[in-house]
Amino acid sequence: MNYKLTIGWLFPELMSTYGDRGNIICIQKRCEWRGINIEILKLDLGLKIDDLRSCDFLFMGGAQDLQQKIVSEDLRKKREILKEMIEDNVPGLYICGAYQLLGKYYKEADGTIIEGLGILDLYTENPGENSKRLIGNIVIESGIMNHELRQNTLVGFENHGGRTYLGKNIRLLGKVIKGFGNNGEDKTEGAIYKNSFGSYLHGPILPKNPHFADYLISLSLKEKYKKSVPLSPLDDSLEWAAHKAIAKRLGISI
Ligand code: GLN
């Protein structure tokens, strides 16, 4: 059988920092190497509802506050569709600014509120200009992946002023081993709601975490074809070397 996934890349021009576009390349290549066809739809300002609806996997990266505000206004018009898709288990990965946007609100350093889409039970506040940004490499432990290597760590690079706090109706993506994560206080990182994943991990996250990339591909195939589609193994030696190198910089041996 010929499998195909349509990837919706939300706001590639405005929401893409610290290598976020590498996530799209990673998903595309890992699928193509296995003979899975990939179509990438770039969904920019004024995106068409039908294009959004046709996606099997959604990705949106991070941005500075200015871009986040523009996107928040545009996306508000499509909020119901996006909410419907997320509630219907369409898999998605939302990094940093995108993750914040799916929550209730983001309070900027000067106190201005950027309304979120209110789809995920979380909110984000930047404590003010005198507070430090949460910057650096990060390692977290996540229980979501049942990878053959039993590798449960995720590594990445974070750079955010906002502190995110999770509500009761959402699970964390992982626990911080080294780094800041959601808010630098409670050791949580990211969030999971149905098949949607929010995270502060740029870097980009997927090439350095091939088990997570495959997990998202599997989820997308399963949702679309309503059955488990086995993924043939790939030579991930370089990817795991990158993963381990980041952990090693933080004094963690994997
Ligand atoms: N503007 C947000 C913050 O600083 C998001 C930054 C980002 O996406 N890297 O918290």
Side-chain angles (χ1 to χ4, degrees):
M1 178 160 178
N2 276 342
Y3 296 106
K4 182 189 167 187
L5 290 176
T6 302
I7 298 177
W9 185 2
L10 286 155
F11 307 99
E13 298 297 328
L14 291 165
M15 305 286 288
S16 188
T17 44
Y18 314 117
D20 282 339
R21 67 186 276 275
N23 294 315
I24 294 287
I25 299 169
C26 177
I27 296 251
Q28 177 180 16
K29 287 292 166 198
R30 295 184 77 81
C31 284
E32 286 174 357
W33 287 331
R34 292 158 161 142
I36 301 164
N37 293 315
I38 285 291
E39 183 183 10
I40 295 167
L41 295 182
K42 290 188 175 178
L43 305 172
D44 265 308
L45 291 180
L47 62 95
K48 294 195 186 76
I49 299 279
D50 286 347
D51 285 345
L52 180 58
R53 266 196 214 281
S54 71
C55 295
D56 306 308
F57 175 78
L58 293 173
F59 172 73
M60 182 165 30
Q64 303 311 310
D65 296 1
L66 175 67
Q67 290 87 340
Q68 225 166 292
K69 206 175 292 177
I70 299 168
V71 166
S72 138
E73 275 153 32
D74 194 66
L75 211 46
R76 198 164 311 286
K77 298 169 215 147
K78 287 101 192 175
R79 178 191 180 273
E80 291 316 310
I81 314 291
L82 188 59
K83 182 171 165 57
E84 216 174 273
M85 290 175 79
I86 288 176
E87 294 292 345
D88 280 351
N89 284 312
V90 173
L93 176 63
Y94 305 89
I95 301 295
C96 203
Y99 167 42
Q100 296 172 348
L101 263 183
L102 290 187
K104 292 178 181 156
Y105 66 87
Y106 170 58
K107 188 164 139 194
E108 291 184 85
D110 67 359
T112 310
I113 300 279
I114 301 178
E115 287 298 328
L117 297 173
I119 301 173
L120 302 187
D121 184 15
L122 56 90
Y123 65 92
T124 305
E125 296 188 344
N126 185 322
E129 259 125 37
N130 295 329
S131 67
K132 68 168 185 172
R133 286 185 72 79
L134 308 180
I135 306 175
N137 287 312
I138 169 166
V139 181
I140 70 166
E141 183 168 21
S142 175
I144 53 167
M145 282 141 313
N146 183 16
H147 186 260
E148 55 186 12
L149 293 177
R150 297 183 189 280
Q151 190 57 55
N152 282 335
T153 45
L154 291 174
V155 302
F157 167 78
E158 58 184 327
N159 185 348
H160 50 112
R163 273 74 165 160
T164 296
Y165 299 91
L166 304 181
K168 288 198 184 81
N169 301 318
I170 195 150
R171 290 191 292 144
L172 61 157
L173 175 65
K175 285 201 78 100
V176 175
I177 301 176
K178 209 73 185 261
F180 299 104
N182 280 336
N183 48 52
E185 297 159 25
D186 63 13
K187 297 275 176 203
T188 65
E189 200 313 290
I192 306 176
Y193 179 68
K194 299 202 166 184
N195 286 335
S196 292
F197 299 81
S199 174
Y200 274 111
L201 275 61
H202 292 282
I205 182 172
L206 295 183
K208 285 186 262 193
N209 297 286
H211 52 336
F212 190 35
D214 280 357
Y215 181 78
L216 295 175
I217 293 169
S218 291
L219 267 184
S220 306
L221 289 167
K222 195 168 178 191
E223 277 305 313
K224 179 165 185 182
Y225 294 99
K226 303 296 171 213
K227 62 169 188 176
S228 291
V229 178
L231 295 182
S232 44
L234 299 173
D235 175 4
D236 283 333
S237 41
L238 270 179
E239 287 79 354
W240 285 114
H243 184 100
K244 286 175 187 169
I246 296 297
K248 198 170 165 200
R249 278 191 204 173
L250 295 174
I252 295 156
S253 97
I254 289 177

